[in-house]
């Protein structure tokens, strides 16, 4: 975990969010998926691997008032706090490895765009899924986005694990029902195209 953390601290120390391959000025797909769930504004939402993402900005604008952002990089979260200025006080910031995170509350929505696919070891994946199962409320939702089988095999110098709709469904099927899944292209700041598997599940 220490080596992984130092890697991401270095990435965020060298790059601004706008230079990162995962940058989105407006996270349209995540916002579309979330809007379709019609969640109450008091819903507990966690953005896992959120880093310096702009998603939290838009969720605050939508009126959501119980948002947590988790990332392994304190540097990334620090940049997000600076960007949000006074609004940063409205967010619960969590510095943690997604594969070792132990939730202290349950969430109505667990959102993860492009963090889970960095977990490549069996134990990491099992820990993540166990935490996910235990920390999403009954009837709650999971939005999980990973590189697809047509996507990259590496990102930011790290090997990733690709997933199809069927792969994600198989991982979560014990506790979650698949609501929808799309394959989508993401255009990076350098113009490269990355194909994602973007799925939404509901806890049984």
């Amino acid at each position: 975990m220490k080596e992984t953390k130092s890697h991401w601290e270095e990435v965020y120390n060298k790059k601004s969010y706008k230079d990162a391959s995962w940058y989105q000025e407006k996270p349209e797909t995540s916002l579309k998926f979330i809007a379709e769930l019609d969640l109450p504004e008091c819903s507990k939402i966690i953005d896992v691997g959120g880093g310096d993402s702009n998603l939290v900005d838009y969720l605050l604008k939508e009126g959501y008032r119980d948002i947590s952002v988790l990332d392994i990089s304190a540097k990334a979260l620090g940049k997000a706090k600076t960007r949000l200025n006074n609004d940063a006080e409205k967010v619960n910031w969590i510095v943690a490895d997604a594969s070792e995170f132990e939730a202290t509350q349950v969430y109505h929505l667990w959102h993860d765009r492009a963090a889970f696919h960095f977990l490549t070891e069996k134990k990491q994946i099992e820990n993540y899924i166990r935490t996910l199962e235990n920390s999403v409320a009954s009837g709650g939702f999971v939005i999980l986005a990973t590189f697809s089988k047509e996507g990259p095999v590496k990102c930011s110098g790290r090997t990733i694990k690709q997933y199809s709709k069927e792969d994600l469904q198989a991982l979560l099927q014990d506790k979650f029902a698949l609501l929808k899944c799309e394959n989508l292209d993401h255009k990076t700041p350098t113009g490269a195209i990355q194909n994602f598997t973007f799925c939404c599940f509901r806890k049984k």
Side-chain angles (χ1 to χ4, degrees):
M1 187 267 193
K2 189 175 181 181
E3 184 271 333
T4 304
K5 181 175 174 61
S6 63
H7 169 82
W8 289 111
E9 296 292 14
E10 185 177 0
V11 167
Y12 279 103
N13 196 45
K14 288 181 176 179
K15 285 186 177 182
S16 73
Y17 178 43
K18 290 185 177 181
D19 295 326
S21 63
W22 50 88
Y23 172 71
Q24 292 179 304
E25 179 62 39
K26 184 175 183 180
E28 301 275 7
T29 304
S30 292
L31 292 169
K32 182 186 79 169
F33 271 55
I34 293 169
E36 289 172 356
L37 301 178
D38 198 24
L39 297 168
E41 292 178 355
C42 61
S43 299
K44 294 181 182 296
I45 298 173
I46 185 166
D47 186 17
V48 176
D52 195 14
S53 163
N54 290 343
L55 180 64
V56 64
D57 306 52
Y58 286 95
L59 292 177
L60 288 170
K61 288 175 187 175
E62 292 288 339
Y64 293 107
R65 51 184 185 268
D66 196 339
I67 306 166
S68 298
V69 180
L70 178 149
D71 203 273
I72 196 170
S73 169
K75 184 77 175 178
L77 296 182
K79 289 183 175 185
K81 290 179 191 179
T82 300
R83 185 185 70 244
L84 285 170
N85 202 354
N86 292 336
D87 280 344
E89 296 175 9
K90 301 175 183 177
V91 180
N92 179 32
W93 305 96
I94 305 169
V95 179
D97 184 327
S99 68
E100 299 176 359
F101 172 55
E102 294 183 9
T104 56
Q105 60 179 319
V106 294
Y107 300 97
H108 301 106
L109 172 62
W110 176 292
H111 173 273
D112 176 343
R113 175 187 173 271
F116 179 59
H117 62 206
F118 282 106
L119 307 182
T120 56
E121 297 174 11
K122 184 181 178 184
K123 185 178 179 182
Q124 290 179 315
I125 295 167
E126 288 175 347
N127 287 348
Y128 181 102
I129 298 299
R130 188 183 308 113
T131 300
L132 179 62
E133 291 176 343
N134 293 337
S135 48
V136 175
S138 179
F141 301 93
V142 175
I143 295 172
L144 193 56
T146 69
F147 285 152
S148 75
K149 298 290 188 180
E150 286 72 49
V153 295
K154 282 196 166 187
C155 181
S156 192
R158 313 289 286 193
T159 299
I160 63 90
K161 189 172 176 66
Q162 298 172 320
Y163 290 92
S164 65
K165 166 188 169 181
E166 291 75 21
D167 293 334
L168 293 179
Q169 192 170 13
L171 276 176
L172 300 184
Q173 64 185 358
D174 286 350
K175 298 283 182 72
F176 296 88
L178 179 66
L179 297 182
K180 67 178 292 186
C181 201
E182 298 178 9
N183 278 97
L184 302 158
D185 285 332
H186 163 66
K187 188 175 182 179
T188 73
T190 60
I193 300 297
Q194 300 174 333
N195 192 254
F196 274 80
T197 300
F198 225 109
C199 295
C200 182
F201 297 84
R202 184 167 195 168
K203 192 169 187 187
K204 298 175 183 176

